[in-house]
Amino acid sequence: MSLEEIKQSLAEYMAADKELMPGLVAVEVRLNQTGTAKCRYSILLIDEEGGEIEVKFRDRYSRLVYIYTLLHPQGYQRRVPAAKDYRELCHLYSMLYFRDSDALLNTIASTDFDHFLSHYIAQSRNAIRQASPLAEPFAIDRPQSHNGKVLIPFVADGGNVIIDASLRINKSHL
């Protein structure tokens, strides 16, 4: 191995070492400034050095479920989002994507709400875990660990959550 190859291997090893990575200290829901984004809001994990890691969700519904869970810091029972014909979820979906919620309701109806919620919680967990090896506390945890509540441990423990003002103002209408 040449000296350059050794340096490159060492740099890759150090970059992958969790002990050498700056810790994650916040999660942010930020309004996108460009009109080309798939969603009006991005989810960012913020490290202690001020670095930002964007979470890449594979679909709309996993992002929707994640943001809904962020907006409920102490968690919620699985039946709560289904209350009043999914009114809160539909309103949030419309705010995030500027679309009516017919597609959301059709997807829920084509499976059932428990399956819908379980599937998209799992998808959101995957997106969070892929964003950073340190992001486990930022993922939606198993409800069995929290008396049946769906929650994000980092948020429930009082972690720093930054929600864009436009989303907080609209949350009062949920």
Side-chain angles (χ1 to χ4, degrees):
M1 251 184 170
S2 72
L3 183 58
E4 285 303 313
E5 291 172 330
I6 292 171
K7 285 181 181 180
Q8 183 177 351
S9 292
L10 180 58
E12 290 171 3
Y13 174 78
M14 291 175 67
D17 188 349
K18 290 182 188 181
E19 297 295 319
L20 299 175
M21 292 179 172
L24 298 175
V25 297
V27 60
E28 181 177 1
V29 179
R30 182 184 297 165
L31 182 64
N32 290 324
Q33 298 303 317
T34 63
T36 60
K38 292 180 183 179
C39 178
R40 291 184 61 209
Y41 297 88
S42 294
I43 309 292
L44 304 167
L45 301 176
I46 313 296
D47 68 32
E48 56 197 10
E49 295 176 351
E52 299 175 345
I53 303 166
E54 183 174 358
V55 179
K56 307 272 194 228
F57 291 90
R58 292 177 53 198
D59 54 73
R60 290 182 177 156
Y61 303 133
S62 57
R63 181 188 308 262
L64 171 70
V65 169
Y66 190 78
I67 293 174
Y68 182 85
T69 306
L70 280 174
L71 293 172
H72 294 82
Q74 296 309 309
Y76 55 89
Q77 297 292 330
R78 290 176 70 90
R79 68 182 178 281
V80 170
K84 298 179 185 171
D85 295 324
Y86 312 103
R87 187 184 82 204
E88 283 187 30
L89 274 180
C90 289
H91 182 71
L92 183 58
Y93 181 84
S94 295
M95 287 172 34
L96 297 177
Y97 298 106
F98 277 142
R99 294 174 179 237
D100 65 31
S101 55
D102 291 345
L104 170 65
L105 293 172
N106 289 338
T107 301
I108 292 170
S110 70
T111 58
D112 67 71
F113 184 68
D114 283 333
H115 178 68
F116 170 88
L117 194 59
S118 294
H119 178 73
Y120 290 108
I121 285 173
Q123 293 297 324
S124 76
R125 283 184 192 131
N126 289 338
I128 295 294
R129 289 176 183 144
Q130 288 175 3
S132 169
L134 302 176
E136 188 63 34
F138 293 82
I140 299 172
D141 205 0
R142 294 178 26 240
Q144 299 86 336
S145 303
H146 306 283
N147 297 322
K149 284 189 173 182
V150 176
L151 59 78
I152 300 168
F154 175 82
V155 178
D157 292 340
N160 189 10
V161 178
I162 305 160
I163 305 287
D164 189 86
S166 63
L167 195 56
R168 278 184 283 140
I169 290 167
N170 286 316
K171 181 187 182 287
S172 64
H173 296 13
L174 294 179

